[in-house]
Amino acid sequence: MDHPIDDTRLPAPRGGTEPYGHCVLLKHGEVALKGRNRRVFVNRLEDNLRSALRGVGGSTWIRTPHSLTVLGGQVPVETLVDRARTVIGFSSVEPALRVPSTMESIEANGLEVLRAACAGRATTGFAVRAKRRDKTFPLTSSQLERELGALLRPRVPGLRVDLTEPDVTLSVEIDRRETFLSAERHPGLSGLPVGSSGRALVLLSGGYDSPVAAHRAMRRGLACDFVHFSGAPYTNPASVYKAYALARELNRYQPPGALHVVALGKAQKQLAVAGAGRLQVVAQRRLMVRTASALAASTGAQALVTGDSLGQVASQTLANMAAVDQAATLPVLRPLVGWEKQEIIDQARALGTAEISVLPDEDCCSLLAPPQVTTGARIGHLRAVEKRLDLDELVEALLENVRVSRPGQEEDGEWS
């Protein structure tokens, strides 16, 4: 985006330390609807924004007047926009110009913003939309829209008024000492700020589903850590590399969560030797949620998250899901339970995880899987298989060898 406006022409602000000039307006989504505890959500939103700005390459400042957040600093606006669009909780992200709240300044700078937005177009329909937070401003919002539109239209070649479906909308938001001018709007991720609803542990496979489920959980305010069950020592490390890459991508949307890798292969073999048969896959899933529940005690997680979609595969029938839930000591959340596969794939593409999920690997779920998987596992039959093993000892052994990393916050390949 071209920025032809010279910030140095703007006067220094009165009563504030942030300079007039380019900034980014971040409109609040659900947070704006909160009541007395709204400040708690806003504080979390600001903390997450600061986390997203780490390493941005220059100083930044954040202010939160009314139901929006203003972001600026000695960093290109395009960079600020890119970082802000990864922060869950903002409904829109708007590059803007912060100017004094005088009609002369609004007119002069509004003209420059409009010219930049209309550059390269032969004919452009435009509208002015004003919001007057400072009721002492001499014009009402509708009066300002009409007067400013009439002043600007003849000064931009090819400009015409279109109040129904304008190509360009000049947004004017007036406060007492500052006005924000914007003609560009990017959709935000909306939702609740990550961390405002607690913490969860995501069972992260290498497929399409679980990363999308994780992101949906984040949008409901859950900070997420991840656990990946590999088939080691009977499978190659490809699934672990994928899980790391997926966790790193997901950590772009939250203060980085930890990835725990559990080698499940030997335990899977023990289930098979114990005679799991057609129950093998469901028994493995029960062992996974049992292990994840124990691991959650050390991560502070209050729930587990999976990518299950009802009826998508044989192991995800209602009966099998109920059997898996019975082995967990925490609530098992399934954000995608009603989604179709194509919806999940489309969301994975938009999220940026699809290109990773499609890479080949050796999935632990297919290890020792029987030719046919039961669609109606019974708790009694599963318990009969599990009684042939010492589950507490098995879970303890799995957790003793967990490998932990924090993708996105450390160099690739660093494990503890």
Side-chain angles (χ1 to χ4, degrees):
M1 176 182 173
D2 184 25
H3 296 294
I5 306 166
D6 181 2
D7 294 353
T8 61
R9 296 187 308 170
L10 297 172
R14 294 175 297 169
T17 58
E18 300 83 13
Y20 289 128
H22 292 291
C23 63
V24 181
L25 291 186
L26 307 172
K27 303 295 180 65
H28 296 179
E30 287 185 63
V31 172
L33 304 178
K34 298 298 178 182
R36 294 179 180 178
N37 62 344
R38 181 169 62 183
R39 188 68 240 177
V40 175
F41 288 85
V42 171
N43 289 343
R44 177 72 66 171
L45 197 54
E46 290 180 356
D47 288 344
N48 293 346
L49 180 57
R50 291 189 187 95
S51 178
L53 293 170
R54 287 175 184 163
V56 78
S59 63
T60 58
W61 52 264
I62 298 171
R63 284 199 303 107
T64 307
H66 308 293
S67 58
L68 59 83
T69 294
V70 186
L71 170 63
Q74 298 176 339
V75 178
V77 169
E78 295 89 344
T79 302
L80 296 179
V81 167
D82 288 344
R83 294 295 182 96
R85 292 188 71 184
T86 67
V87 180
I88 292 169
F90 296 120
S91 60
S92 68
V93 179
E94 303 178 26
L97 190 64
R98 179 173 178 258
V99 304
S101 290
T102 65
M103 193 60 193
E104 295 77 14
S105 179
I106 293 171
E107 178 186 349
N109 290 287
L111 176 62
E112 297 302 321
V113 171
L114 192 58
R115 281 175 173 166
C118 295
R121 301 172 187 253
T123 304
T124 305
F126 91 110
V128 177
R129 298 285 184 255
K131 185 172 184 177
R132 188 185 62 154
R133 293 191 176 91
D134 175 22
K135 302 307 180 184
T136 66
F137 191 80
L139 299 178
T140 66
S141 297
S142 57
Q143 288 172 338
L144 177 62
E145 290 172 355
R146 291 194 299 269
E147 184 167 326
L148 188 58
L151 288 169
L152 297 179
R153 187 188 61 79
R155 301 175 67 179
V156 180
L159 204 61
R160 57 182 176 80
V161 175
D162 185 343
L163 302 180
T164 305
E165 295 184 359
D167 302 308
V168 174
T169 298
L170 177 62
S171 173
V172 184
E173 300 197 24
I174 301 174
D175 272 339
R176 184 175 298 274
R177 291 189 175 89
E178 60 190 5
T179 290
F180 300 99
L181 303 169
S182 175
E184 184 180 358
R185 172 177 290 195
H186 302 280
L189 293 173
S190 298
L192 296 175
V194 171
S196 61
S197 297
R199 197 161 199 90
L201 183 61
V202 179
L203 277 69
L204 186 66
S205 70
Y208 290 110
D209 303 345
S210 55
V212 175
H215 190 255
R216 300 303 299 185
M218 291 176 191
R219 291 183 63 182
R220 298 317 306 154
L222 286 171
C224 292
D225 293 305
F226 313 96
V227 57
H228 174 73
F229 293 91
S230 77
Y234 304 118
T235 58
N236 64 38
S239 75
V240 177
Y241 298 148
K242 285 178 66 175
Y244 188 96
L246 288 168
R248 182 174 54 192
E249 190 67 25
L250 290 166
N251 276 342
R252 293 175 55 234
Y253 302 97
Q254 66 168 4
L259 170 65
H260 306 260
V261 175
V262 179
L264 194 68
K266 290 182 179 180
Q268 289 176 269
K269 189 171 183 179
Q270 291 182 54
L271 285 170
V273 172
R278 293 183 62 191
L279 296 171
Q280 178 76 23
V281 173
V282 180
Q284 289 173 183
R285 293 286 291 176
R286 281 169 61 87
L287 181 57
M288 287 178 186
V289 300
R290 197 184 300 271
T291 305
S293 295
L295 178 62
S298 65
T299 68
Q302 300 161 291
L304 305 180
V305 175
T306 78
D308 294 342
S309 172
L310 185 60
Q312 185 180 118
V313 293
S315 63
Q316 294 177 15
T317 62
L318 193 58
N320 287 351
M321 287 182 181
V324 170
D325 285 1
Q326 193 275 337
T329 59
L330 294 175
V332 180
L333 308 181
R334 296 180 172 90
L336 309 184
V337 69
W339 287 38
E340 295 180 2
K341 189 65 176 184
Q342 191 57 53
E343 291 179 298
I344 296 171
I345 293 173
D346 291 343
Q347 184 61 39
R349 288 172 177 158
L351 187 59
T353 58
E355 293 182 357
I356 302 169
S357 295
V358 77
L359 296 173
D361 70 337
E362 291 185 316
D363 182 12
C364 78
C365 292
S366 60
L367 180 66
L368 302 174
Q372 287 187 317
V373 177
T374 183
T375 58
R378 296 183 180 180
I379 298 295
H381 294 167
L382 287 161
R383 284 177 175 166
V385 173
E386 293 169 348
K387 280 182 179 179
R388 298 165 193 157
L389 306 170
D390 187 332
L391 287 179
D392 291 338
E393 185 177 306
L394 189 57
V395 169
E396 185 178 342
L398 290 172
L399 294 180
E400 281 179 357
N401 298 303
V402 172
R403 301 167 68 196
V404 185
S405 64
R406 200 169 291 272
Q409 188 171 299
E410 57 183 20
E411 293 295 323
D412 290 8
E414 287 190 10
W415 299 82
S416 61

